[in-house]
Amino acid sequence: MSGSAKPLLAADRVRLYLTLVPYLLEHGQVSLAEAADEFGVTPAEMRQMVEKLTVIGLPGDSGYWQQPQELFDINWDLLDEEDVIEITNDVALRRVPRFTAREAAALLAGLQMVAAVPAVSDSGLVSGLISKLSRGAADAPAQVVVAPSAVDEVRRVVSRGVQDGVAVSFTYQAPDAQPTTRTVDPVQVLITNAQWYLQGWCHMRRAMRTFHLDRVSDARLTDIPITHAGDHVPEAFSATEEEGEVRVRVPERLAPLLGDFLTGGNAEIADGIVTARLHLADPRGIKRLAAKFGGALEVIDPEIARTAAREWAVAGLALYRDPDRDDAG
């Protein structure tokens, strides 16, 4: 919008004002120079835009503005004397629907989990969204405690490895096998069916491999530069021979929460109770699925799955009793 730029079309001007108003409301008071720099215009052009805001407003029943409070207004003295912009009447923009406290809390919990993914962990995007959600809810979001786990620590190490360009080393416990020490060039961390996985080049197998993060421990950075980050990554997951079976019981009305885990051939219904055989890459992963049911899902077997679900619930309950503990996330 410099002097040599083409005039803005009406639609472009509308979009510009729709961006300008939220920007000014969020900043409270902002100098003409700062706002002009943000929008790529001169201070004089920004002044004209702000002055024109005072003839924009909310139409009355007849299509015309009938009350002063139906128009935008600015602090004229501040603008004229100090070249500072401040909106003093925002014409019902603050009456737009907002997230409920419960909705905001759910989104905040999800964003905290996403923040550990290497692709976004260092971008500042997630922290900005968390800040906006906290301010934009209709009420203060309900207190949410995201229980930390060994998987969280692994994701943090992998994220740092991707950022620093170095391989990571860890102990890997495959089902019915002895633990092995792996060194891996990390490529990506992803989640599928509520399970976290690391995909990367395994120095021991000399090929791309997918590692279930619940089986990873003692993750640490190495000083070995990543050399296989651009190699082909395996496709998305399907049933594998390594999968384990977990039997669960759940009320029939809640069975849809099992989602894709529930198929026509792996469930029986009797007296309003569904008994299902779920195939998981690691039976211990049932704990995250069970968390959806608020105590209504019963893990029948194997014992390793029952123990994992029980310990997960006990640890989570302890955090809510003492949310200020250092290990609460």
Side-chain angles (χ1 to χ4, degrees):
M1 285 183 64
S2 62
S4 61
K6 295 181 180 179
L8 285 174
L9 299 175
D12 295 327
R13 291 187 180 278
V14 170
R15 283 193 291 269
L16 190 59
Y17 277 107
L18 288 175
T19 306
L20 175 62
V21 172
Y23 168 81
L24 295 176
L25 289 175
E26 181 175 348
H27 285 72
Q29 293 184 359
V30 61
S31 69
L32 270 176
E34 182 181 346
D37 182 66
E38 181 72 24
F39 285 84
V41 299
T42 67
E45 289 169 332
M46 176 56 65
R47 178 184 287 273
Q48 291 177 356
M49 292 166 59
V50 172
E51 290 175 346
K52 287 178 180 178
L53 277 179
T54 60
V55 296
I56 299 175
L58 187 66
D61 294 337
S62 63
Y64 298 94
W65 297 288
Q66 301 181 3
Q67 302 293 333
Q69 62 267 26
E70 294 173 349
L71 294 170
F72 282 102
D73 202 2
I74 61 175
N75 187 330
W76 287 99
D77 292 338
L78 200 60
L79 181 64
D80 292 337
E81 297 173 8
E82 302 181 30
D83 286 342
V84 171
I85 311 167
E86 180 184 32
I87 292 181
T88 57
N89 189 43
D90 56 27
V91 194
L93 279 185
R94 298 190 189 276
R95 295 201 295 269
V96 296
R98 294 185 172 191
F99 289 116
T100 65
R102 186 174 182 180
E103 290 170 336
L107 288 170
L108 287 169
L111 284 170
Q112 289 178 47
M113 178 175 291
V114 170
V117 178
V120 297
S121 61
D122 199 40
S123 67
L125 174 64
V126 172
S127 59
L129 286 172
I130 289 175
S131 176
K132 288 181 179 179
L133 274 173
S134 299
R135 297 196 309 267
D139 296 301
Q143 184 185 46
V144 175
V145 176
V146 180
S149 67
V151 168
D152 296 324
E153 179 58 30
V154 172
R155 290 202 305 265
R156 283 192 286 270
V157 172
V158 170
S159 176
R160 179 51 60 187
V162 171
Q163 294 165 21
D164 294 351
V166 297
V168 296
S169 178
F170 52 81
T171 299
Y172 193 63
Q173 176 68 70
D176 301 322
Q178 293 296 318
T180 57
T181 299
R182 305 292 184 98
T183 300
V184 174
D185 288 2
V187 174
Q188 65 177 350
V189 174
L190 66 161
I191 187 170
T192 182
N193 291 332
Q195 305 291 304
W196 286 97
Y197 298 87
L198 163 65
Q199 291 186 306
W201 173 271
C202 178
H203 289 218
M204 184 173 77
R205 301 300 186 194
R206 303 189 61 78
M208 278 289 175
R209 289 290 186 265
T210 299
F211 300 93
H212 193 301
L213 291 193
D214 267 335
R215 302 174 186 168
V216 172
S217 61
D218 300 324
R220 55 198 178 278
L221 297 176
T222 72
D223 57 2
I224 304 172
I226 291 176
T227 56
H228 293 85
D231 288 23
H232 174 70
V233 176
E235 297 296 331
F237 306 94
S238 58
T240 68
E241 293 181 358
E242 285 191 357
E243 286 187 338
E245 183 176 277
V246 178
R247 283 202 309 143
V248 300
R249 275 195 288 259
V250 64
E252 184 178 2
R253 61 185 175 81
L254 298 180
L257 292 177
L258 292 172
D260 294 338
F261 286 105
L262 195 64
T263 65
N266 71 342
E268 300 175 354
I269 304 175
D271 300 325
I273 300 296
V274 173
T275 302
R277 302 182 308 278
L278 310 183
H279 292 278
L280 303 176
D282 188 330
R284 293 169 293 184
I286 191 64
K287 59 190 179 185
R288 294 187 181 86
L289 187 60
K292 294 182 179 181
F293 292 83
L297 180 144
E298 178 188 358
V299 181
I300 303 172
D301 54 48
E303 186 59 32
I304 188 175
R306 290 173 56 85
T307 300
R310 180 172 59 252
E311 291 178 349
W312 172 277
V314 170
L317 184 60
L319 285 173
Y320 279 96
R321 287 173 178 156
D322 186 11
D324 295 326
R325 282 171 49 185
D326 291 338
D327 58 349

